[in-house]
Amino acid sequence: MMFAASAAIMIWLALAVVRALRGPTVFDRLVASNSIGTGAILLLAVFGFMTGRPEFLDIGILYALLNVVGTIAVLKFFRFGDLGHRGGEEPD
Amino acid sequence: MEMAQHIAAYLFLGIGCLLILIGGFGINRMPDVYTRMHAASVSDTLGAILVLFGLMIEAGPTLVALKLAIIILLLLFTGPVATHAVARAALEVGVKPLLRTRDGKPGKGIIEPDGSVTPWKD
């Protein structure tokens, strides 16, 4: 059953990668990459249960934290062209 | 008792995997950014949380279940924040929602209650 679950998660990851490669705008790619991050967390958790080593979950927590920070960092970079820009102002 | 635990865990895992696959197909089938976001949120929020909840039932009352609960809470907070940020940024940059009129013609605008389409203002 864990094997089937990890197979389903891998199919989902493949579909998200297809959208990330095809996406016409940068936002399509960001939505897909957000899905890929969530899929990596799930794959880590299910793989840990499959092999009997649930210690991988710590890495999953780290991925969950990095995922949202990464998405918002890329968005800010495309909006202001600079990660150090203070938000709320129009770019020059 | 152990049998019931396994059955409940596999039930949640199965429903979660089904929702994940639906979201994955939705990302590829939907026509524009906003609808793709809608499809992605199915797998990102509900599917992922159901899979992790199934693993939580499988783990029983241990430290592993606590870690899974922390991941579920993180996903509940961060997923909607990221999706909202993406949608807002797309709307600000000027990606227009793709709408259709009632007779099936594609158009970019707002559908009025009487069925006519007011074009989106730039």
Side-chain angles (χ1 to χ4, degrees), chain A residues 1 15 19 28 58 79, chain B residues 10 27-28 36 67 92:
Chain A
M1 186 62 197
L15 288 168
R19 176 45 71 192
D28 293 293
D58 296 330
R79 180 77 177 86
Chain B
Y10 291 162
I27 286 182
N28 279 287
R36 272 172 210 148
K67 284 176 188 171
E92 270 194 21

Side-chain angles (χ1 to χ4, degrees), chain A residues 1-2 5 8 11-12 15 18-19 24-25 27-28 31 34-35 38 41-42 45 49 54 57-58 61 65 68 75 79, chain B residues 10 17 20-21 24-25 27-28 33 36-37 40 43-44 48 52 55 59 64 67-68 71 78 82 85-86 89-90 92:
Chain A
M1 186 62 197
M2 293 294 168
I11 293 171
W12 175 37
L15 288 168
V18 167
R19 176 45 71 192
T25 65
F27 305 106
D28 293 293
V31 169
N34 206 11
S35 283
T38 312
I41 299 166
L42 288 191
F49 270 80
L57 284 174
D58 296 330
I61 296 174
L65 282 171
V68 63
L75 278 174
R79 180 77 177 86
Chain B
Y10 291 162
C17 287
I20 276 174
L21 287 178
F25 281 110
I27 286 182
N28 279 287
V33 188
R36 272 172 210 148
M37 245 172 248
S43 51
D44 266 7
L52 290 174
L55 291 180
V64 172
K67 284 176 188 171
L68 285 168
I71 294 181
T78 59
V86 173
E92 270 194 21

